[in-house]
Amino acid sequence: MASPPSDTVAIKSLVDLHCHSTASDGRLAPADVVARAADAGVTLLALTDHDSIDGIAEARVAAAEADIELIAGTEISASWQKRTLHVVGLGIDTESDVLKAGLAEHQQMRVARAEKMAAKLEKAGLSNAAERAASMTADGQITRTHFARLLVEDGLVKDMNGAFKKYLKPGKPGYVGSDWCELEDVIRWIHAAGGKAVLAHPFGYNMTASWRRRMLSAFSEEGGDAMEVCCGNSTADEITQATKDADAYELMGSIGSDFHGPDQHWLALGKVQSLPKSVQPVWTTLSQRASY
Ligand code: AMP
Ligand code: MN
Ligand code: MN
Ligand code: MN
């Protein structure tokens, strides 16, 4: 059979707008995340470290080398109704003073929280937690993930999930609450930096359906632009529901793996369902992104 003319050959272009590097709780340096994404066939990537944009400069250089398009992003923790939500900011100006000031506030909170967590975990049997967590992160944000890795490394639990369940969730011996800035402030910082505010992993908050509806409604009312419809670990039912939610709450859609490292063998950069046709892709509203 004759091959089709080259202009009709579909070129697979993968989009992944949520992943982490060593600027927060990812395993790989920003440049290595970008190179790995390019190898996996990703053509449009956002690096979204927790409360940080510190990996973006390195990622930009690597993206230019690998010929992959990079969107500057961050995943910001936010308080809403005494809960923590994650808001991904996409297409942000990394020089924005408003955004930089907000992230600096969260970074200070993380340092203070990590000290308290380390002290509690040391009491609970994790040796040298403060020093080891600090050396793991170098210049990155200290997150609960780092302590979870130490708990696994020392054999106090058998896997990451066990670390969260036994030590790091509310009510557990290593848990310290955090007073992140309010959702409306976080959305405001992202908008001040010219970015779009995306509600991350809407099924990742252990909420009942009625709380999820309340959250989506508040996010939309407070000016949120989009929600993640397809995440790396989404089920088909979640995607169906999120597609309906995006329509009902007038939100655009985003997709992202939430890749943290090669050890998460069930996740890979670019391994995300495509956005259902009825949902407007948030990346088409970022400058120059309309062709994806
Ligand atoms: P933090 O922002 O410091 O509270 O840390 C939150 C991070 O912990 C998330 O971004 C996830 O990467 C990680 N995390 C939360 N729950 C789990 C879990 N059950 N297993 C593995 N990682 C988790
Ligand atoms: Mn994380
Ligand atoms: Mn998250
Ligand atoms: Mn994430």
Side-chain angles (χ1 to χ4, degrees):
M1 200 167 72
S3 44
S6 63
D7 62 347
T8 65
V9 173
I11 296 168
K12 201 172 166 201
S13 65
L14 297 180
V15 174
D16 192 338
L17 304 183
H18 186 155
C19 66
H20 299 272
S21 75
T22 47
S24 64
D25 58 355
R27 295 267 191 189
L28 305 179
D32 296 332
V33 173
V34 171
R36 193 178 176 93
D39 280 350
V42 174
T43 49
L44 185 65
L45 178 77
L47 180 66
T48 57
D49 275 304
H50 294 288
D51 301 301
S52 175
I53 50 175
D54 292 350
I56 302 293
E58 179 183 319
R60 276 195 179 122
V61 174
E65 276 170 19
D67 199 20
I68 173 173
E69 225 168 330
L70 184 82
I71 291 174
T74 174
E75 180 178 16
I76 309 180
S77 309
S79 295
W80 175 74
Q81 302 280 321
K82 300 198 164 54
R83 293 160 184 264
T84 296
L85 304 183
H86 284 179
V87 183
V88 166
L90 294 177
I92 47 178
D93 170 8
T94 51
E95 295 306 313
S96 159
D97 287 335
V98 172
L99 179 66
K100 284 200 287 190
L103 295 180
E105 205 177 320
H106 276 197
Q107 286 164 14
Q108 280 169 12
M109 285 181 200
R110 282 192 176 277
V111 171
R113 182 180 72 146
E115 275 172 26
K116 288 187 197 154
M117 283 180 69
K120 291 183 84 168
L121 287 167
E122 281 175 19
K123 271 195 196 143
L126 183 68
S127 60
N128 225 357
E131 202 178 303
R132 288 163 76 201
S135 74
M136 275 168 102
T137 56
D139 305 324
Q141 299 298 296
I142 305 183
T143 68
R144 282 185 293 162
T145 309
H146 297 97
F147 291 111
R149 286 181 188 144
L150 292 175
L151 288 161
V152 176
E153 199 175 295
D154 285 11
L156 288 155
V157 288
K158 76 173 191 324
D159 56 23
M160 294 293 282
N161 210 23
F164 278 86
K165 235 168 142 174
K166 201 166 164 204
Y167 289 93
L168 300 171
K169 282 196 167 169
K172 300 300 171 184
Y175 182 76
V176 177
S178 18
D179 204 7
W180 308 120
C181 292
E182 287 293 322
L183 178 62
E184 59 184 294
D185 295 319
V186 167
I187 294 174
R188 184 173 51 77
W189 304 344
I190 293 168
H191 286 167
K196 299 291 182 196
V198 182
L199 181 68
H201 42 66
F203 292 93
Y205 304 108
N206 206 9
M207 282 178 183
T208 59
S210 67
W211 268 101
R212 201 189 69 255
R213 287 195 289 271
R214 229 173 287 169
M215 165 182 73
L216 289 164
S217 167
F219 185 76
S220 181
E221 270 166 31
E222 289 178 17
D225 303 289
M227 62 186 281
E228 288 183 345
V229 171
C230 310
C231 311
N233 60 0
S234 295
T235 63
D237 285 351
E238 286 171 351
I239 294 175
T240 303
Q241 183 60 50
T243 302
K244 289 182 193 158
D245 291 339
D247 181 44
Y249 297 97
E250 297 180 349
L251 294 167
M252 293 183 281
S254 187
I255 63 180
S257 62
D258 207 1
F259 174 86
H260 283 72
D263 55 316
Q264 290 172 300
H265 52 256
W266 60 97
L267 274 185
L269 284 158
K271 201 175 153 199
V272 203
Q273 283 261 191
S274 353
L275 202 60
K277 289 268 181 293
S278 64
V279 183
Q280 186 186 354
V282 65
W283 58 92
T284 63
T285 66
L286 307 171
S287 54
Q288 313 297 317
R289 294 294 80 76
S291 60
Y292 277 83

